[in-house]
Amino acid sequence: MNIPFTKMSGSGNDFVIIDNREGVVADTIKRDFVKKVCRVKDSVGADGVIFIENTDRADYRWDFYNSDGSSAEMCGNGGRCVARYAFEKGIAPQAHTFETVAGIISAEVNGPLVKVKLTPPEHLQEGLDIEFEGVHYKVDSVNTGVPHAIVFSEDVEKEDVTTVGRDIRYHTVFAPAGTNVDLVQRQKGGLKVRTYERGVEGETLACGTGVVASALIASKRFEIPSPVQVETRGGEVLKVHIEPNDNGLPTVYLEGLTKLTFEGHIVEL
């Protein structure tokens, strides 16, 4: 085994990226491979693994897996990282598209700053009353490539994100696939968000689709103008651009910095 990889980070979300256009990692072993690669301490460690594959529908296709080996339709921060990787490796031009389960994503790379246009949001639900073991949560939900449940808080720093996340993530309302959960605080200049990610099964330093989902719901509720600035758990601020459309579904873009952490070869798992 000698598999080249790149480790990248988007707002604290970290990913292992592998050029798999020649099938260096077979589909049959991907899930087990991902779980081993994402382990901390005795492997590379990451929130997920992105395989770049061939496609006739875009410049490339990605095959994305969470750290537990589960597939995800889309990941905003992963999308920004893979776009920069593809451009810098000569796989795609500066402005390009890539195929995901959620649909075709367009991206524009300007050095470490990457802006991606996400698929149209759908399945908006507002004012859901979610009850779990006697605790009630007021929840809004929207799919921004993957499902997100939004809970507003006066102070997200005081919230038990793991408990709230698990209570809502596995609730029957969101069965069978489950949902990501975002705790959102209105603050001067924008929002602060903490996210419990499905597949990671815990809080991450940032979640791009969660940032977009939070901005969409909050901009509607509080009439926040675009672009909405969102502070993540890792401290970085992402921008969400929201452009109204005649069909009622806005066009949304996620913009922020990416970081290439290191490159290497996986030689043993």
Side-chain angles (χ1 to χ4, degrees):
M1 179 180 289
N2 193 331
I3 300 172
F5 76 92
T6 297
K7 180 79 175 289
M8 294 191 70
S9 173
S11 305
N13 247 170
D14 59 339
F15 309 93
V16 169
I17 303 177
I18 295 173
D19 183 353
N20 203 42
R21 291 175 297 165
E22 295 184 4
V24 293
V25 180
D27 288 343
T28 54
I29 68 166
K30 278 181 179 175
R31 295 185 188 279
D32 188 53
F33 176 89
V34 167
K35 287 188 282 187
K36 290 178 179 178
V37 166
C38 289
R39 286 199 308 251
V40 296
K41 298 187 183 296
D42 67 345
S43 192
V44 180
D47 290 325
V49 175
I50 302 169
F51 298 98
I52 290 184
E53 315 270 0
N54 293 310
T55 182
D56 295 328
R57 300 184 61 212
D59 289 288
Y60 55 91
R61 180 178 73 89
W62 88 345
D63 193 15
F64 177 81
Y65 294 84
N66 294 305
S67 60
D68 66 353
S70 63
S71 297
E73 301 92 327
M74 179 52 192
C75 171
N77 289 329
R80 294 190 298 109
C81 288
V82 80
R84 179 182 172 187
Y85 172 94
F87 170 62
E88 294 189 354
K89 296 295 184 181
I91 297 171
Q94 185 174 6
H96 66 265
T97 60
F98 59 95
E99 180 185 354
T100 73
V101 175
I104 302 296
I105 305 298
S106 62
E108 183 176 343
V109 182
N110 292 290
L113 186 66
V114 182
K115 185 178 182 180
V116 292
K117 177 184 177 183
L118 302 185
T119 54
E122 57 184 2
H123 306 312
L124 172 65
Q125 299 182 85
E126 298 177 278
L128 297 174
D129 185 13
I130 304 296
E131 187 272 334
F132 184 81
E133 294 184 352
V135 180
H136 288 261
Y137 301 100
K138 277 294 183 183
V139 177
D140 300 317
S141 71
V142 65
N143 189 306
T144 52
V146 289
H148 280 272
I150 308 299
V151 180
F152 285 96
S153 170
E154 293 295 322
D155 187 352
V156 294
E157 295 301 325
K158 294 181 179 179
E159 298 285 357
D160 183 346
V161 175
T162 299
T163 297
V164 176
R166 287 176 179 169
D167 286 356
I168 298 172
R169 183 259 191 267
Y170 293 103
H171 197 277
T172 54
V173 170
F174 302 107
T179 185
N180 301 279
V181 182
D182 305 282
L183 280 75
V184 181
Q185 176 186 337
R186 177 81 188 277
Q187 63 178 5
K188 185 179 180 180
L191 306 172
K192 179 184 284 189
V193 174
R194 296 178 66 184
T195 299
Y196 179 98
E197 281 203 53
R198 180 188 65 169
V200 177
E201 304 310 331
E203 183 178 10
T204 55
L205 293 179
C207 173
T209 53
V211 163
V212 172
S214 301
L216 282 168
I217 297 294
S219 65
K220 183 178 179 182
R221 175 174 294 193
F222 302 117
E223 298 183 349
I224 304 173
S226 176
V228 182
Q229 299 197 73
V230 184
E231 180 183 347
T232 65
R233 182 61 168 166
E236 189 169 333
V237 175
L238 295 171
K239 289 184 179 180
V240 179
H241 302 262
I242 304 171
E243 298 180 359
N245 283 331
D246 293 337
N247 62 9
L249 294 173
T251 300
V252 290
Y253 299 83
L254 175 67
E255 181 180 26
L257 295 171
T258 58
K259 182 170 69 174
L260 195 157
T261 311
F262 60 86
E263 295 186 307
H265 290 75
I266 298 168
V267 296
E268 183 179 352
L269 291 173

